[in-house]
Amino acid sequence: MNLPDRAWTLLNQALDVYADSPRAINWLRRHLARFTDPLRLAVVGGPATGKSTLVNAIAGECVATEGGQGMAWYQVPPARSQSPLTLIDTPAVGPDMEPGAVESICMEADAVLYLMGHPHNADLAFLRAVQDHPVARVAAVNSVAVLSRADELGGGRVDALISARQVARKYRKEGELSVLCQDVIAVAGLAASGGRTLSDDEFELLAGLAAAPKEELEPLLLSADRFAADPERERLLGRFGLFGIRLAVTLIRRGADTRAALSTQLAQRSGLGDLRDAISLYFTDRAPVLKARSALIGLDVVLRMEPRPSAAPLVGELERTLAGAHEFHELRLLATVSTGRVRLPEELREEAIRLAGGYGLQPQERLGAQVQGPPLRQAAAAALRVWRAYSENPVFGAAERHAARTVARSCEALITEPAP
């Protein structure tokens, strides 16, 4: 039985145990209902990190506004993201947060995008809090950090994302952030949001700027104050930022001469594509696993808040479920191998990602073989022998051998639980 099925079964068993507790029943039913809902993705960060801007970029429309109070929820249909999502725009993280706000975010969200400039103590403290639960401590699998003002890391130059991605690579491989998050992604939030929500009028204004003589335009693009002297340009500045305007002008001059073309190019060059890929790999492609994680946290809350002798078997079963939750370790493996925290030879790296479900979760996709039944088990058994050997190979370091053991466990699951 896979993890989502085990979590579903445990919650239904808990309904029987707590049949006389309306509060527990309501709580458990809420978590059962979440299994059929879209994944809940919270966008979290400190003041002025661009949470609402990034919500709009992901949603592909201007649904969120800066400075809102409390948590705001937005449904994103598959047409505007790879999979249906519920985005949660949250209050700014900081000393002025309402008591219990961090816990509320952790309980309501299945996954978290944490926005920051550079990681400070407050950022790390929040990410530690996200993992400060017995279920969460099994593996840090539901958070991705976002350097959300990436253009500022590169001084607002047109090539600023190159510098920002180098910074992100450093953070994803080194220090505490690499332990607390699956990945670190650099995004120029205003350029991403502006690209995804670009209007015809805005395109015409940007095209007009691109058509202006360089000797007239370049002095305006030296600073935000100079550019914002005109009301129309000030509005553009608020929507795209100076980096986004510089980038848009460059792209138009290089051939992005329609609104659709510029919209696509801005989104790609802003780092939004990298973020969407990360959301797919770590979150939406594994939505059932992350929902199961939320359900198990919810069950643990009930067991702790209302302990009773009849719940003892549930406590034991929850502990056994967490101990055997290979799905969490697969997710962590995808992150450590994809980001280079664990270094495998290229051919092994690709195979490890594939066997762990990075290119598809069906057995045939994992094995790269269009077979079923006994041939599928044979292919899985062959892969298992290879990865067991890697897990014992003294040439590899401890991290690489651990990764190989995780891949071997994935192969075992393909043998014992083949697809119908």
Side-chain angles (χ1 to χ4, degrees):
M1 188 183 296
N2 61 33
L3 181 64
D5 289 343
R6 290 197 297 273
W8 176 270
T9 299
L10 283 174
L11 261 65
N12 277 286
Q13 291 173 350
L15 285 175
D16 293 334
V17 172
Y18 288 94
D20 60 342
S21 171
R23 184 175 67 168
I25 289 293
N26 180 59
W27 180 258
L28 292 166
R29 284 177 176 166
R30 282 180 57 199
H31 280 278
L32 281 169
R34 285 172 62 171
F35 274 93
T36 57
D37 291 341
L39 183 86
R40 298 179 178 185
L41 177 60
V43 182
V44 187
T49 51
K51 298 183 301 299
S52 299
T53 299
L54 198 64
V55 166
N56 292 336
I58 296 170
E61 57 182 313
C62 295
V63 294
T65 57
E66 294 288 348
Q69 300 297 315
M71 290 192 287
W73 300 57
Y74 307 100
Q75 302 297 326
V76 184
R80 292 190 174 273
S81 66
Q82 294 95 326
S83 300
L85 274 175
T86 297
L87 292 174
I88 307 174
D89 192 5
T90 62
V93 172
D96 297 331
M97 288 188 78
E98 293 286 334
V102 173
E103 181 181 356
S104 178
I105 292 169
C106 294
M107 292 303 302
E108 292 291 353
D110 300 310
V112 171
L113 293 179
Y114 190 86
L115 279 54
M116 64 181 77
H118 287 283
H120 298 293
N121 288 336
D123 303 316
L124 296 174
F126 178 88
L127 291 168
R128 290 188 203 106
V130 171
Q131 309 303 334
D132 189 20
H133 186 278
V135 175
R137 284 195 290 270
V138 173
V141 297
N142 77 322
S143 300
V144 166
V146 182
L147 305 181
S148 57
R149 304 176 77 107
D151 49 306
E152 296 177 5
L153 296 176
R157 303 185 310 272
V158 172
D159 62 351
L161 261 293
I162 296 175
S163 300
R165 283 176 174 137
Q166 291 173 344
V167 174
R169 278 195 292 271
K170 176 183 177 182
Y171 284 139
R172 71 170 59 113
K173 291 182 180 181
E174 302 173 7
E176 189 175 5
L177 199 58
S178 67
V179 178
L180 295 171
C181 296
Q182 289 284 72
D183 208 340
V184 183
I185 308 294
V187 179
L190 281 173
S193 176
R196 287 274 278 163
T197 60
L198 178 66
S199 70
D200 290 329
D201 289 345
E202 289 168 342
F203 173 75
E204 292 301 326
L205 288 172
L206 291 167
L209 291 172
K214 286 188 177 182
E215 60 271 17
E216 292 182 14
L217 182 60
E218 287 181 356
L220 295 177
L221 294 176
L222 288 176
S223 72
D225 288 340
R226 288 190 182 189
F227 190 82
D230 174 83
E232 282 192 332
R233 295 202 304 264
E234 184 179 18
R235 184 167 62 84
L236 278 182
L237 187 66
R239 284 273 290 132
F240 296 86
L242 197 57
F243 165 77
I245 292 168
R246 289 170 176 162
L247 180 59
V249 167
T250 300
L251 292 172
I252 292 170
R253 287 173 173 172
R254 291 180 179 177
D257 54 1
T258 66
R259 186 194 64 80
L262 181 60
S263 174
T264 299
Q265 286 291 313
L266 275 175
Q268 289 177 349
R269 301 295 185 93
S270 67
L272 182 62
D274 296 338
L275 180 60
R276 286 161 63 89
D277 289 344
I279 291 172
S280 292
L281 178 64
Y282 301 124
F283 298 157
T284 54
D285 289 353
R286 301 297 179 115
V289 171
L290 293 176
K291 292 178 191 177
R293 177 186 180 277
S294 298
L296 294 175
I297 290 175
L299 174 60
D300 184 74
V301 169
V302 171
L303 295 174
R304 290 172 183 272
M305 294 295 292
E306 297 190 27
R308 55 179 65 182
S310 59
L314 280 175
V315 174
E317 190 58 36
L318 175 59
E319 292 175 352
R320 285 188 290 273
T321 297
L322 293 176
H326 176 66
E327 291 90 339
F328 292 155
H329 298 294
E330 271 194 341
L331 264 173
R332 194 61 182 166
L333 171 75
L334 286 175
T336 56
V337 174
S338 297
T339 60
R341 293 197 288 266
V342 170
R343 296 193 175 189
L344 294 172
E346 184 60 27
E347 66 278 7
L348 296 186
R349 175 184 176 276
E350 289 299 309
E351 185 177 353
I353 292 172
R354 175 168 52 77
L355 287 168
Y359 302 136
L361 297 175
Q362 294 303 312
Q364 292 85 354
E365 294 170 318
R366 288 176 181 258
L367 290 165
Q370 296 303 314
V371 293
Q372 293 182 347
L376 189 69
R377 293 190 187 91
Q378 292 166 7
L384 173 60
R385 288 192 293 271
V386 170
W387 283 94
R388 275 182 175 167
Y390 289 143
S391 72
E392 299 169 358
N393 191 333
V395 173
F396 290 136
E400 287 73 24
R401 292 197 300 273
H402 177 77
R405 286 194 293 273
T406 302
V407 177
R409 177 66 187 86
S410 296
C411 295
E412 290 173 356
L414 291 171
I415 297 171
T416 58
E417 298 183 27

